[in-house]
Amino acid sequence: MLITCPYCGPRDVSEYSYQGDANRRRPDPASTDQAAWNAYVYDRVNTAGDHKEYWQHSAGCRVHLAVTRNTLTHKISSVAIARDVVVAERKEAAQ
Amino acid sequence: MVEMLSPLAPVWRPGPHGDLSAGIGVVMSETQPGSIVQLAAWPGETAGMLAAIDGHTGLSLPDIPGGGVSTETKAAFGFAPGKFLVVDEAEGLAESLSEAIPASLGTVTDLSHGRTALRLAGPKAEWVLAKFFAVDFSLPVFPVGKAVSTGHHDIFALIQRTAPDAFDLYIYRSYARAFWTALGHACEEVGYEVR
Ligand SMILES: [Zn+2]
């Protein structure tokens, strides 16, 4: 499997570390809502198909990436720098 | 000035080695720069950092992934978004860059004693590196000056092309002896000289 890092270009999956499901959103750290924390820690959508996930280019530029990977085929349909995605989401949420 | 000690000393075997039937394919050497400095720009400050590198060292880096420049005595390149390695034959670069780069622009980290700089040169240098790293080293996509961050079996490497047939590699100092030994084995079949 190849992941095309926006900075480094196409690299073998062995250069990357999986950083988890990117669909979930961490509750506010000050929150004491146990159901929300339980859902954040344990609930997964277990998608068969396109799945949003984080990967770190740990043996390369070390940037965290937001990747859409098909769990049935390993086809990667999008890769972006995770920071840029999160900053854009926050901007959108603030509007 | 303190005398520089090489981590390669116990395995340093100058001279020709391997299969020399077709001549010397690769020359392996250690460049021992006096300064290796890592710069990291805060988000949005990359242009300012590039200007600071240019202003301080005279090296004008293209603002593209892995963009770099190398001269006889200095080199600099990008290896991650907003991050740069700057190398000088002379000592003292970390101190002078710390003065030139304000904390509002980013950080300056002195790696002079933390990395070992190796040079692989010769007609088979590109070919040997292609055995080690899953990266396209061909000249059209990897021109002189360009650099990459990659790894060989968990040994992290920063690689910059310094000439059409020469590459400088920056390896964590503690891994450098093992990496150098492995690189020598990889060079055996094309004939190599340590100098
Ligand atoms: Zn990368």
Side-chain angles (χ1 to χ4, degrees):
Chain A
M1 187 166 98
L2 291 177
I3 299 176
T4 300
C5 170
Y7 190 87
C8 303
R11 298 292 180 87
D12 188 79
V13 68
S14 63
E15 288 199 1
Y16 296 87
S17 309
Y18 185 63
Q19 299 288 322
D21 185 345
N23 293 291
R24 61 209 181 108
R25 283 289 166 271
R26 189 164 180 252
D28 183 327
S31 165
T32 54
D33 181 344
Q34 292 204 8
W37 281 106
N38 187 78
Y40 172 70
V41 174
Y42 294 109
D43 292 357
R44 298 289 183 275
V45 286
N46 199 24
T47 308
D50 281 345
H51 186 239
K52 286 163 72 178
E53 49 201 30
Y54 293 119
W55 288 79
Q56 186 191 12
H57 193 188
S58 46
C61 65
R62 300 197 60 78
V63 163
H64 285 82
L65 304 173
V67 173
T68 307
R69 176 183 63 97
N70 190 300
T71 57
L72 301 176
T73 63
H74 279 331
K75 183 180 161 58
I76 293 189
S77 51
S78 75
V79 186
I81 291 175
R83 184 179 193 281
D84 296 346
V85 174
V86 172
V87 167
E89 278 174 5
R90 281 186 192 158
K91 249 184 208 157
E92 205 169 291
Q95 275 168 5
Chain B
M1 192 169 85
V2 180
E3 188 188 346
M4 197 179 290
L5 293 177
S6 169
L8 309 181
V11 293
W12 186 255
R13 297 186 301 142
H17 303 283
D19 179 1
L20 301 165
S21 59
I24 288 173
V26 176
V27 174
M28 292 174 67
S29 44
E30 186 189 359
T31 60
Q32 296 197 316
S35 301
I36 303 174
V37 182
Q38 178 171 314
L39 306 176
W42 303 124
E45 302 290 351
T46 297
M49 186 63 89
L50 285 169
I53 294 170
D54 193 354
H56 193 73
T57 65
L59 301 173
S60 175
L61 307 189
D63 187 9
I64 54 171
V69 174
S70 79
T71 70
E72 279 286 295
T73 57
K74 293 177 190 176
F77 55 83
F79 64 89
K83 293 186 180 169
F84 305 91
L85 202 75
V86 187
V87 181
D88 194 336
E89 203 174 64
E91 292 186 30
L93 182 65
E95 290 79 0
S96 60
L97 275 172
S98 295
E99 280 167 27
I101 292 170
S104 58
L105 200 56
T107 61
V108 178
T109 309
D110 187 357
L111 300 177
S112 306
H113 296 257
R115 301 288 180 274
T116 298
L118 313 178
R119 178 164 292 164
L120 221 60
K124 289 291 184 185
E126 181 184 313
W127 186 84
V128 168
L129 285 183
K131 292 202 290 181
F132 257 45
F133 302 101
V135 171
D136 186 352
F137 289 105
S138 64
L139 196 54
V141 293
F142 203 120
V144 174
K146 183 184 164 65
V148 289
S149 313
T150 185
H152 177 257
H153 290 272
D154 288 334
I155 296 184
F156 183 66
L158 295 174
I159 306 172
Q160 183 182 32
R161 185 175 221 134
T162 53
D165 65 350
F167 298 85
D168 284 2
L169 290 79
Y170 299 89
I171 308 293
Y172 292 155
R173 184 187 168 96
S174 54
Y175 291 132
R177 193 183 306 157
F179 183 81
W180 171 267
T181 304
L183 205 53
H185 292 156
C187 290
E188 271 174 12
E189 61 178 312
V190 297
Y192 69 102
E193 183 181 346
V194 173
R195 79 163 88 119

